[in-house]
Amino acid sequence: MKKFTKESLKSYSGKNGAPVYIAANGKVYDATNSFLWQKGKHMADHHAGQDLSPALKRAPHTAELLERLPLIGLLDEEK
Amino acid sequence: MARVAREMVQNAGVDVDQLVELLVKNAAAELTTFYYYTILRANLIGLEGEGVKQIAETARIEDRNHFEALVPRIYELGGELPKDMKEFHDMSACPPAILPDNPRDVKAILKVLVEAERCAVRGYSHICNLTAGKDHRTYELCLAILNEEIEHESWFSEFLGEGPSGHFLRLGETSPFVGKFFK
Ligand code: HEM
């Protein structure tokens, strides 16, 4: 499975037509086709291309909803 | 815009622009749901479907009422609805409640309905959490909407047989919680 760093994830922010990748709990998901992640933004507050694990703790849902998206890689949380 | 009302919310520590964006997104979810539920309702036919039609209709009307109730609060807080309805559709806080591929599959329609309500329950719970003790008017409005959304979720979930039923169909007028915000 593809490995991402926090740095390499930044180019998948959904801006200027880039793919929309989001990371949480060490996993990277492809949200490009998600209605709720259009242009890399979710619920007025969350931006793609980064590790959103802390923000997920405040969300009205668990990581279970991320399983709706294709899992495409793992995040190396050290780098 | 209600300048002082907005100032009070801001001073209480709420990010008002973000709150307004969420309110607009949820208003979009309500109006688009009203539209998509019209199609779902029209397809609830036959022995199985007709039994579900009335709750789908009540939820549809109440979702439209939620849209009506949210709009004044959006403008009070300095927000506005997009001029372009296509943009409004696409910014919805919930995905479109699209008719299943097999429109005669009543269970599949019920699943679309219950998922739409679950999305709404999540959205309004979040707005209530953001505004509790800070923006009293938005809180009370979203709590009223949340009460109705939870009932909708329960109706559809109980029709799907997910657990014992604690609810009856709406008796009396629609929107018993939200009515005071748009009458
Ligand atoms: C304040 C924070 C958040 C709010 C209010 C929020 C709200 C929502 C809502 C209402 C839904 C639809 C749920 C449903 O269909 O029942 C949703 C879906 C989703 N959320 Fe969030 N969320 C938040 C934070 C996050 C974060 C931080 C992530 C990522 C780590 C995330 C990832 C997702 C995903 C992947 C979906 C499913 C998308 C799909 O089905 O295409 N959310 N969220």
Side-chain angles (χ1 to χ4, degrees), chain A residues 35-36 38 41-46 58-62 65 68, chain B residues 18 21-22 25 89-96 115 122-123 126:
Chain A
F35 182 88
L36 297 176
Q38 290 175 66
K41 200 174 168 195
H42 181 60
M43 298 296 156
D45 195 20
H46 306 290
R58 300 188 304 273
H61 59 73
T62 62
L65 288 199
R68 290 181 185 173
Chain B
Q18 192 190 104
E21 196 178 327
L22 279 177
K25 287 171 88 57
H89 175 281
D90 289 347
M91 71 192 299
S92 167
C94 293
E115 283 311 316
R122 288 194 165 103
H126 179 64

Side-chain angles (χ1 to χ4, degrees), chain B residues 97-108:
Chain B
I98 289 184
L99 184 69
D101 289 340
N102 176 5
R104 297 288 77 83
D105 185 345
V106 174
K107 206 166 178 186

Side-chain angles (χ1 to χ4, degrees), chain A residues 14-27:
Chain A
K15 292 197 184 102
N16 304 317
V20 179
Y21 292 179
I22 54 175
N25 307 330
K27 293 177 181 166

Side-chain angles (χ1 to χ4, degrees), chain A residues 22-25 29-31 33-37 42-47 50-69, chain B residues 18 22 26 93-95 114-127 130:
Chain A
I22 54 175
N25 307 330
Y29 300 86
D30 184 352
N33 295 321
S34 169
F35 182 88
L36 297 176
W37 280 91
H42 181 60
M43 298 296 156
D45 195 20
H46 306 290
H47 298 273
Q50 42 178 315
D51 180 12
L52 293 163
S53 309
L56 191 57
K57 293 198 182 104
R58 300 188 304 273
H61 59 73
T62 62
E64 204 185 306
L65 288 199
L66 278 86
E67 305 299 333
R68 290 181 185 173
L69 308 178
Chain B
Q18 192 190 104
L22 279 177
N26 280 280
C94 293
V114 81
E115 283 311 316
E117 300 301 341
R118 286 183 170 145
C119 179
V121 168
R122 288 194 165 103
Y124 291 108
S125 299
H126 179 64
I127 299 178
L130 286 182

